[in-house]
């Protein structure tokens, strides 16, 4: 019985070590399907470029690319749309927003994942992660108050779209082992403050209205920034 177990163990070890010969020797970088351009107008919303913070430049790799605008409807509502595209250093180019938001002063109240009805997305459903955030602020009178925010994000690669950082890591491992390439990833963020009880004109939006507003922006912006087909593959 002991000899049989040893033979089985040796066979498993040999199979494990032998599998290294099936791993691709060269790893290619497959380009991302995202367009690093945001329109000046989304329906009745006018967009203006939004600056990239010094902290982002410090944390992320030097060849990370950014595209970011704040859209204003002219009636007191604003929505941030941001695209961050990884460079060749995939591990240090992008990460899930949950890592950096606390360093910006935000506390995460709630996290959820859902599929949004977006006709241009594969199957008509876009997977997103939704973050409900809070930041303490000091009012003009010196008192402490709170700002609340809704943040939607998802990742776009060469052939895959996912709302999960962990699924993205699994996809990367699968691609390296089975296909010999890495997908170049981008993550898209669409966010807005919850302005209920914040605006002097009483026109602020509660959580439900802010959700609806962000989802309408996502439905409009998605087909403008995501290519129907992956671009031509490139080697490295």
């Amino acid at each position: 019985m002991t000899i049989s177990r040893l033979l089985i163990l040796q066979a498993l070890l040999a199979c494990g070590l032998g599998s290294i010969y099936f791993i691709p020797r060269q790893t290619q970088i497959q380009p991302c399907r995202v367009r690093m351009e945001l329109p000046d107008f989304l329906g009745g919303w006018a967009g203006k470029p939004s600056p990239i913070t010094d902290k982002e430049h410090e944390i992320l790799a030097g060849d990370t690319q950014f595209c970011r605008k704040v859209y204003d409807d002219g009636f007191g509502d604003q929505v941030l749309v941001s695209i961050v595209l990884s460079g060749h250093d995939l591990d240090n180019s992008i990460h899930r927003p949950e890592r950096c938001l606390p360093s910006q002063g935000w506390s995460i109240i709630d996290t959820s994942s859902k599929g949004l009805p977006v006709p241009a997305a594969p199957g008509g459903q876009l997977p997103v992660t939704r973050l409900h955030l809070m930041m303490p602020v000091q009012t003009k009178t010196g008192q402490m108050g709170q700002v609340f925010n809704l943040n939607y994000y998802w990742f776009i690669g060469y052939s895959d779209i996912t709302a999960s950082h962990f699924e993205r890591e699994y996809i990367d491992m699968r691609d390296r082992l089975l296909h010999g390439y890495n997908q170049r990833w981008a993550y898209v963020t669409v966010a807005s403050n919850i302005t209920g009880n914040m605006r002097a004109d009483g026109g602020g939006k509660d959580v439900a209205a802010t959700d609806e507003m962000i989802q309408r922006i996502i439905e409009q912006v998605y087909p403008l920034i995501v290519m129907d087909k992956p671009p031509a593959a490139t080697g490295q």
Side-chain angles (χ1 to χ4, degrees):
M1 182 66 69
T2 302
I3 294 176
S4 298
R5 289 178 177 175
L6 287 173
L7 290 174
I8 293 172
L9 180 60
Q10 287 179 342
L12 291 174
L13 183 60
C15 289
L17 294 174
S19 65
I20 192 172
Y21 294 103
F22 295 96
I23 298 175
R25 292 290 188 270
Q26 294 182 341
T27 301
Q28 296 179 324
I29 298 293
Q30 305 292 50
C32 182
R33 287 173 59 189
V34 75
R35 295 185 179 95
M36 292 301 288
E37 295 181 19
L38 287 168
D40 293 330
F41 296 94
L42 280 173
W45 297 77
K48 291 184 178 180
S50 180
I52 312 304
T53 66
D54 292 338
K55 193 70 174 178
E56 288 173 295
H57 284 299
E58 291 174 7
I59 294 175
L60 301 178
D63 59 349
T64 306
Q65 297 180 32
F66 303 88
C67 184
R68 183 170 300 163
K69 286 186 177 180
V70 173
Y71 289 89
D72 193 308
D73 68 351
F75 298 98
D77 291 316
Q78 292 187 333
V79 177
L80 171 73
V81 180
S82 172
I83 309 173
V84 180
L85 177 63
S86 69
H88 287 88
D89 184 359
L90 301 178
D91 293 331
N92 294 309
S93 288
I94 62 172
H95 51 254
R96 57 189 180 130
E98 290 93 329
R99 281 184 53 192
C100 61
L101 287 170
S103 67
Q104 299 172 14
W106 292 103
S107 297
I108 300 174
I109 301 172
D110 179 63
T111 303
S112 60
S113 297
K114 60 196 304 183
L116 298 183
V118 177
Q125 290 282 315
L126 176 66
V128 298
T129 294
R130 174 189 181 272
L131 304 178
H132 189 182
L133 308 171
M134 184 275 294
M135 178 188 289
V137 295
Q138 189 172 27
T139 65
K140 294 180 180 180
T141 60
Q143 298 178 331
M144 291 304 297
Q146 296 173 327
V147 172
F148 294 89
N149 181 279
L150 291 182
N151 179 306
Y152 284 67
Y153 74 84
W154 68 94
F155 297 96
I156 303 172
Y158 170 70
S159 58
D160 293 271
I161 297 176
T162 177
S164 168
H165 166 75
F166 300 105
E167 183 178 5
R168 182 173 66 87
E169 289 190 326
Y170 165 77
I171 292 170
D172 283 342
M173 288 189 292
R174 177 204 69 189
D175 290 342
R176 290 168 188 168
L177 290 174
L178 299 182
H179 306 300
Y181 64 69
N182 288 318
Q183 299 190 48
R184 191 177 185 187
W185 290 95
Y187 76 82
V188 182
T189 300
V190 183
S192 178
N193 287 341
I194 301 168
T195 55
N197 301 322
M198 287 180 59
R199 285 170 44 179
D201 62 3
K205 287 182 168 56
D206 61 11
V207 173
T210 306
D211 268 319
E212 182 181 355
M213 177 179 68
I214 291 175
Q215 291 176 24
R216 289 200 308 267
I217 291 291
I218 291 175
E219 184 176 351
Q220 292 181 69
V221 79
Y222 177 90
L224 301 177
I225 64 172
V226 181
M227 304 176 195
D228 293 334
K229 296 181 179 179
T234 59
Q236 179 179 303

